[in-house]
């Protein structure tokens, strides 16, 4: 869980900071349309950055061992997430594909999505987030291997700077058999790229 050595500002101080920014950009924070904006922004930030107050490891503590010997890949693909760039505080929007090959225990699939969300709901760079997701699953479940691929659009490149819309950044982190065994790695890649025909 993230820690901060500095004393946390009060809500009133946070709202005052937003008013300062509104005035700095050239608007009038006292005008009717902006009077409640600082309150709304702080409420939004509580949701956007809720991952700072949650422990991703705790999400994986409840495991199951009654699997009848299942030891093949477990994959949760296309986990949609929204995060924020720690350099510019603009959105990172994308998908994560998370897989592991169990050794002795498995975890409820919703917990994998929650781990992605907890790390996404913090100021991030995609490379670090990819490693954090994989390392947490590996440390708690101790599987034979973990594979994580993250694909995302960064508004810090599409809405500012070089203004390159539609660019997708891909990052991956492989551990255990997915790193050491090219066949396991290829199976993972095949699974995430195979079209799924939904009949439900």
């Amino acid at each position: 869980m993230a820690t901060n050595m500095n004393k946390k500002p009060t809500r009133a101080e946070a709202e005052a900071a937003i008013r300062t920014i509104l005035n700095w950009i050239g608007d009038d924070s006292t005008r009717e349309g902006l009077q409640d904006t600082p309150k709304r922004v702080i409420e939004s930030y509580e949701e956007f950055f809720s991952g700072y107050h949650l422990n991703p490891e705790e999400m994986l503590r409840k495991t199951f061992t009654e699997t009848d010997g299942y030891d093949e890949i477990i994959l949760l693909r296309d986990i949609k997430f929204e995060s924020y760039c720690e350099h510019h505080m603009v959105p990172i929007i994308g998908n994560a594909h998370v897989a592991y090959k169990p050794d002795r225990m498995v975890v409820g699939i919703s917990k994998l999505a929650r781990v992605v969300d907890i790390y996404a709901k913090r100021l991030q760079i995609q490379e670090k987030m990819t490693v954090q997701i994989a390392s947490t699953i590996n440390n708690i479940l101790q599987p034979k291997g973990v594979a994580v691929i993250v694909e995302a659009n960064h508004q810090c490149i599409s809405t500012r700077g070089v203004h390159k819309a539609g660019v997708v950044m891909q990052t991956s982190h492989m551990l255990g058999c997915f790193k050491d065994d090219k066949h396991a790695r290829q199976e993972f890649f095949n699974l995430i790229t195979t079209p799924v025909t939904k009949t439900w």
Side-chain angles (χ1 to χ4, degrees), residues 44-154:
S44 295
Y45 278 10
E46 286 179 321
E47 181 178 347
F48 295 160
F49 305 119
S50 60
Y52 285 113
H53 308 293
L54 297 170
N55 186 338
E57 293 187 353
E58 287 302 317
M59 293 295 162
L60 301 174
R61 293 291 183 194
K62 183 174 177 57
T63 58
F64 307 92
T65 56
E66 294 182 2
T67 62
D68 284 346
Y70 184 88
D71 61 358
E72 297 300 322
I73 293 174
I74 296 171
L75 167 66
L76 201 60
R77 58 185 274 188
D78 300 320
I79 306 169
K80 300 195 180 304
F81 71 86
E82 304 91 32
S83 189
Y84 285 81
C85 166
E86 69 178 35
H87 300 143
H88 303 98
M89 292 185 70
V90 294
I92 302 170
I93 299 174
N95 294 312
H97 312 292
V98 177
Y100 70 101
K101 202 164 187 181
D103 186 3
R104 300 176 305 281
M105 50 192 172
V106 299
V107 71
I109 59 173
S110 69
K111 306 305 183 184
L112 300 177
R114 289 185 185 278
V115 169
V116 171
D117 274 345
I118 289 172
Y119 283 121
K121 290 187 179 299
R122 301 178 181 185
L123 292 173
Q124 279 292 8
I125 63 170
Q126 185 174 323
E127 298 91 334
K128 180 173 71 173
M129 176 178 156
T130 306
V131 172
Q132 288 172 329
I133 294 166
S135 296
T136 298
I137 294 169
N138 191 60
N139 292 342
I140 301 301
L141 298 185
Q142 298 182 354
K144 295 176 182 176
V146 180
V148 175
I149 288 181
V150 177
E151 305 164 326
N153 173 266
H154 293 240

Side-chain angles (χ1 to χ4, degrees), residues 2 6-8 23 72 74 136 141 160 162 172 176 190 197:
N6 299 319
K7 180 182 177 182
K8 183 177 179 178
N23 292 327
E72 297 300 322
I74 296 171
T136 298
L141 298 185
R160 59 162 300 283
V162 295
S172 66
N190 291 342
T197 302

Side-chain angles (χ1 to χ4, degrees), residues 11 14-19 22 29 34-43:
R11 179 179 288 269
E15 291 182 10
I18 300 300
R19 279 192 290 275
L22 290 172
S29 64
L34 294 180
Q35 286 178 7
D36 289 332
T37 296
K39 176 175 178 259
R40 295 190 187 105
V41 169
I42 297 307
E43 288 174 347

